[in-house]
Each structure stands twice: as C-alpha cells, then as structure tokens.
C-alpha cells in the first residue's frame, strides 16, 4: 500500500442498495457479506467481540443465507452493538431476553444518527439474515473504521521482471525438443514397453564423444550387414515413437473428412442396389393400390350416390329436429311457469281451506264472549254498588238541604222565599 485513496472505497457498494435491480442483484448480498467480513477482521472482531461472548467466527456467507434465525439475530444484535460502541456512540449490549423490536429500533436510530439512509421496514431485520442485515452491519463497520482512523489505500503491485519471449512452435512440425518432451511423457505411461530415450541419448552422446576421439582410427566398418538387419528387426518394436496430434489442426479435420467420404462411398455402393430394388417395389405397390382404388370407386359409384342422398336427408332431419327441439324448449319453459303458478294457487287454496275448516278461531271467540259476560256481570255489580252509594249520598244531602231550608224559611222575606222555592225545584229536578 503506497498511496492513500478515498476512505471507504470498498464500502461504497454496501452504503446504499442498488437503485436498479439487475440480474446480479440476487448475488449482491454475498459480495456485501464478504466486504463486511473483511472490515470486521480489520476491526479484530474475533478478539474483541466474539471471544467475550464465546462465539464462533463468521463464515463467508453467514448473514447471506438463512440457517438458524434465532442465532443469526442474536449475532446481528451483538455485532451491531459492538460496532456502534466502536464508532464512538455508547450502546448497551443487548441480551437474549430483550424485546427484538426495541433492539432493532435502537440500532436503526443509531444508524440514522450517522447519516445513513434507512429505506426498508424494521421487520426485515428480525430474520437475522438478508441484504438489509448485511447493509446495516456494513454501514456500522464503515463508521467504526472511520472513527478508528483507518483509511483504504491503493494497492502497490510488485514489479515484475521481463520474461524472455518464447518462440512459438508449429504443432505440425516435429522438432527435436518437442519429440523429447513427447517421448518423456510416453515413458511415464509405458515404461515397461518403451526404452528410455534420455538414457539412449546419453549413451549415444558418450559413444559420439568416444567416436570423435577414435575417429581417425575407424575408417571402415567391420559389422556384418545380415547381423545388423537382425539387430534392427529385434530392436525396432522398442523404438516405437508416438507423436500426439492436435485435434484442432485443420489437417486432421481434412483427413477425417476424406476418411468419412471414403466410408460413405463404400457404404453407398453396397446399399444403392438395395435402395433401387426397394424403390421399384414401392413404385409397383403404389401403382397396384391406385388401380385397385379406381376399380373400387367404379364398382361402388351407386352406393356412394345413395350414401350422399342419405347424408342430405340426415342433414335435413337434423335441421327439423333442431327447430322442433327449440319449440319444445320454449313450451317446456311455459309449462314450468304454469306449474309454478298452479302450485302457488294450490298453496293459497289449502291455506284458505284450512283456515275455514279450523274450529280454533270459533273456540277462541266463545271463550272471549264468556270472558266478556263475566266482566259485564262484575261491572254491573260494581255499577249497582256505586249507584247505591250515590243514592245514599244524594238522600243524605237532600235531608241536610231540607233541614237548612226549614230553618231559613221563617227568617227571609217573601221574595226570597220564591227564589228559594225555584232553586229547590231545580235541585229536585237534578236529583230526580
């Protein structure tokens, strides 16, 4: 790391969710989780956070895939509280018995206090995994790195030494070095069947060195030609050299095309006679079928005519049947309506007949009349008692008035007596 770059270079991807969801949006949280794990390692989370709670280190995709929601949510709350404290804000470490909604609300409020946007519902964090969980932890880790004074720097790449240019060799040409490499590969596979060419080469080299030393002495070969040929025939199977060819070479493709063409030509010569014979048999069979078809058509012409006329009659009968079925359907509908009306009339008639023949109302009337008579007798008795009481009161009042009248007759003048007599008459009329 040679030069300082903009802080938060790696955390830019985790600060805000992508605006446009493309095909790779499903894998965004995996990338975000890997960045978060790197930031947590830079903050020494294993020694400061996990060891205190006796927890295991996180895997690469711990918060990206759902495994154990309860464990993942508690790990999220623990890391969030530790990161908030690491960023300089005091935050109480949550416990397993705390309310999840309250813990999530406190974490999101702290995240908003850092100026980070929260555009998702808090319920997304209850699962303890997902893109939102990775986003929250990544933002808090970024703030903790800023508070500790950490800044990302540009990588310093090591200087590479210039390599020597390799000479490209044509695969089709067989060079000595390529032949030695192929022979060495074949030796590893078939050591028992083939001789070691490197050893042979070393022996040849030593023999050549000896021959150069004695070149002046050897002027003529003393080896027998027949023995030489026998030795060559004996050693020839052990000198088998196989050269691996590249299947992508155009020469191989051309050879294969020629081989396939020769195979097709040879197969075609054999099958052409069978195909011609089969073609002739099929042609003769088709001609027989055509002639037989014409003969059958001529023999059955009158039957075909009768069938056509019967088909026409059948179509006419079908049309008449459809028309008749339409009328029948209409009549069935009218019949159903009439039946419904008849049922209603029958029901009303039965109700009226049952009400006319039923003696219950008459019994009720008789009972009511009997009750009225009893009430009338009671009322007559009460009226008689009242009349008797009223008559007694009237007689008592009359006797009192008569007594008062006789007491005042002799005291008043004659005119007053007339008026009093008139009043008495009216009283008597009223009493009568």
């Amino acid at each position: 790391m040679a030069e300082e770059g903009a802080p938060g270079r790696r955390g830019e991807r985790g600060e805000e969710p992508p605006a446009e969801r493309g095909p790779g949006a499903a894998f965004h949280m995996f990338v975000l989780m890997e960045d978060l794990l790197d930031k947590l390692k830079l903050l020494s989370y294993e020694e400061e956070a996990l060891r205190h709670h006796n927890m295991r280190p996180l895997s690469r995709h711990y918060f990206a895939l759902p495994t154990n929601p309860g464990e993942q949510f508690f790990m999220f709350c623990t890391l969030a509280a530790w990161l908030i404290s690491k960023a300089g804000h005091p935050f109480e470490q949550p416990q397993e018995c705390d309310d999840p909604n309250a813990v999530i609300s406190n974490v999101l409020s702290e995240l908003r206090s850092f100026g980070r946007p929260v555009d998702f519902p808090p319920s997304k964090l209850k699962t303890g995994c997902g893109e939102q969980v990775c986003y929250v932890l990544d933002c808090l880790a970024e703030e903790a790195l800023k508070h500790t004074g950490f800044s990302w720097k540009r990588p310093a790449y090591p200087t590479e030494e210039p390599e020597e240019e390799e000479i490209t060799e044509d695969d089709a040409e067989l060079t000595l070095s390529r032949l030695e490499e192929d022979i060495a590969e074949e030796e590893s596979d078939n050591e028992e069947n083939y001789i070691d060419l490197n050893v042979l080469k070393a022996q040849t080299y030593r023999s050549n060195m000896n021959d150069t030393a004695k070149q002046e002495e050897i002027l003529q070969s003393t080896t027998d030609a027949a023995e030489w040929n026998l030795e060559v025939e004996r050693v020839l199977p052990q000198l088998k050299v196989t050269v691996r060819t590249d299947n992508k070479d155009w020469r191989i493709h051309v050879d294969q095309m020629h081989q396939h063409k020769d195979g097709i030509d040879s197969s075609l010569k054999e099958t052409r006679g069978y195909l011609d014979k089969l073609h002739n048999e099929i042609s003769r069979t088709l001609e027989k079928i055509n002639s037989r078809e014409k003969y059958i058509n001529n023999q059955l012409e009158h039957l075909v005519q009768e069938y056509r006329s019967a088909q026409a009659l059948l179509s006419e009968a079908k049309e008449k049947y459809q028309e008749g079925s339409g009328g029948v359907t209409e009549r069935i509908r009218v019949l159903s309506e009439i039946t419904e009306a008849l049922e209603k009339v029958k029901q009303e008639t039965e109700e009226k007949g049952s009400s006319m023949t039923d003696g219950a109302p008459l019994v009720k009337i008789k009972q009511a009349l009997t009750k009225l008579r009893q009430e009338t007798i009671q009322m007559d008795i009460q009226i008689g008692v009242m009349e008797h009481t009223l008559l007694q009161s009237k007689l008592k009042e009359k006797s009192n008035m008569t007594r008062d009248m006789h007491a005042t007759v002799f005291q008043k003048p004659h005119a007053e007596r007339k008026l009093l007599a008139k009043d008495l008459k009216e009283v008597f009329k009223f009493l009568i």
Side-chain angles (χ1 to χ4, degrees):
M1 297 183 182
E3 299 178 1
E4 293 185 0
R9 183 181 301 277
R10 296 181 60 187
E12 290 177 356
R13 291 177 297 177
E15 291 182 359
E16 295 182 1
E20 297 180 358
R21 310 292 290 181
F27 305 97
H28 176 70
M29 58 181 174
F30 293 96
V31 179
L32 199 61
M33 180 61 201
E34 292 181 359
D35 290 346
L36 170 64
L37 192 59
D38 293 339
K39 294 173 184 177
L40 291 176
K41 288 180 180 179
L42 290 174
L43 292 170
S44 302
Y45 81 106
E46 295 180 359
E47 292 79 8
E48 298 183 10
L50 299 185
R51 187 174 297 176
H52 179 69
H53 295 280
N54 196 15
M55 295 180 177
R56 294 179 298 176
L58 303 179
S59 60
R60 291 179 58 193
H61 304 147
Y62 183 79
F63 290 113
L65 298 175
T67 54
N68 188 350
E71 179 184 350
Q72 287 177 316
F73 181 74
F74 183 68
M75 179 66 76
F76 163 72
C77 296
T78 302
L79 290 178
W82 176 72
L83 290 172
I84 292 171
S85 302
K86 196 78 173 176
H89 291 194
F91 195 86
E92 184 179 359
Q93 186 67 32
Q95 303 296 328
E96 294 184 1
C97 58
D98 293 344
D99 185 13
N101 296 322
V103 176
I104 292 173
S105 177
N106 295 334
V107 171
L108 292 180
S109 62
E110 291 293 338
L111 185 63
R112 292 189 185 95
S113 66
F114 289 119
R116 301 288 181 145
V118 179
D119 54 355
F120 54 85
S123 59
K124 293 287 186 180
L125 302 178
K126 285 186 178 181
T127 58
C129 62
E131 186 176 354
Q132 290 78 14
V133 173
C134 297
Y135 167 71
V136 172
L137 292 177
D138 187 73
C139 292
L140 294 176
E142 187 70 25
E143 295 297 330
L145 289 174
K146 289 181 181 178
H147 186 265
T148 55
F150 180 82
S151 61
W152 297 102
K153 298 180 180 179
R154 296 178 181 177
Y157 299 100
T159 56
E160 298 180 357
E161 298 180 357
E163 298 180 356
E164 297 180 357
E165 296 182 358
E166 296 181 355
I167 301 173
T168 58
E169 299 177 354
D170 190 4
D171 294 338
E173 296 179 358
L174 183 63
T175 60
L176 181 61
S177 60
R178 182 65 179 274
L179 180 61
E180 291 177 356
E181 292 176 359
D182 293 340
I183 291 171
E185 292 178 358
E186 292 294 333
E187 286 174 358
S188 61
D189 296 335
N190 302 319
E191 293 180 356
E192 296 179 357
N193 298 330
Y194 307 123
I195 62 175
D196 192 352
L197 293 182
N198 292 327
V199 176
L200 183 61
K201 182 179 178 182
Q203 293 177 357
T204 305
Y205 179 75
R206 286 195 296 271
S207 63
N208 289 335
M209 292 297 293
N210 295 329
D211 291 343
T212 52
K214 299 179 180 180
Q215 189 173 6
E216 296 179 355
E217 298 178 358
I218 300 175
L219 298 176
Q220 186 176 1
S221 176
T222 58
T223 306
D224 188 5
E227 294 179 357
W228 178 267
N229 290 331
L230 291 174
E231 184 66 20
V232 170
E233 291 178 358
R234 186 182 68 82
V235 180
L236 184 61
Q238 299 180 358
L239 296 177
K240 182 180 178 181
V241 178
T242 58
V243 180
R244 294 183 178 179
T245 57
D246 189 3
N247 293 327
K248 297 182 180 180
D249 189 9
W250 63 271
R251 297 179 182 85
I252 303 300
H253 294 171
V254 171
D255 293 339
Q256 291 178 355
M257 290 169 63
H258 286 299
Q259 291 176 2
H260 294 321
K261 182 178 181 299
D262 295 338
I264 291 171
D265 292 339
S266 62
S267 301
L268 184 60
K269 289 179 182 179
E270 296 178 0
T271 57
R272 185 182 292 277
Y274 298 105
L275 293 175
D276 293 338
K277 183 178 180 181
L278 183 61
H279 178 264
N280 295 330
E281 291 179 358
I282 292 173
S283 300
R284 287 195 298 269
T285 305
L286 289 175
E287 290 177 359
K288 289 180 181 180
I289 292 172
N290 291 329
S291 62
R292 192 65 180 172
E293 184 179 358
K294 291 178 181 179
Y295 174 75
I296 292 172
N297 290 333
N298 294 328
Q299 292 293 328
L300 301 178
E301 184 67 27
H302 64 283
L303 296 177
V304 173
Q305 293 295 334
E306 292 178 359
Y307 174 74
R308 289 176 181 173
S309 61
Q311 192 73 20
L313 294 174
L314 179 61
S315 62
E316 292 177 0
K318 286 183 178 179
E319 291 178 358
K320 291 180 180 180
Y321 172 74
Q322 290 178 357
E323 293 177 358
S325 63
V328 170
T329 305
E330 182 66 23
R331 288 179 177 82
I332 289 172
R333 186 182 63 79
V334 174
L335 178 61
S336 63
E337 293 178 356
I338 293 171
T339 304
E340 291 177 358
L342 181 60
E343 291 294 335
K344 290 181 181 178
V345 172
K346 285 182 179 180
Q347 186 176 1
E348 292 176 358
T349 304
E350 290 177 357
E351 291 177 357
K352 289 182 179 180
S354 62
S355 62
M356 290 174 66
T357 57
D358 191 7
L362 184 59
V363 174
K364 291 180 179 179
I365 291 171
K366 290 180 179 181
Q367 292 176 356
L369 289 174
T370 306
K371 188 176 181 180
L372 285 173
R373 288 192 187 98
Q374 293 176 357
E375 291 179 355
T376 303
I377 292 169
Q378 291 179 359
M379 290 295 293
D380 290 339
I381 294 171
Q382 292 178 0
I383 290 170
V385 173
M386 292 297 293
E387 287 180 352
H388 180 69
T389 305
L390 182 60
L391 181 59
Q392 285 182 354
S393 63
K394 285 181 179 180
L395 292 174
K396 186 177 181 180
E397 185 179 358
K398 183 177 180 181
S399 61
N400 293 331
M401 290 179 67
T402 305
R403 188 178 58 251
D404 295 337
M405 182 182 65
H406 288 293
T408 56
V409 166
F410 299 102
Q411 296 178 3
K412 292 183 179 180
H414 182 70
E416 292 179 357
R417 291 177 182 175
K418 291 181 178 180
L419 293 173
L420 182 60
K422 189 177 180 179
D423 293 334
L424 288 174
K425 289 180 180 179
E426 290 179 358
V427 170
F428 283 125
K429 287 181 181 179
F430 174 76
L431 293 175
I432 295 170

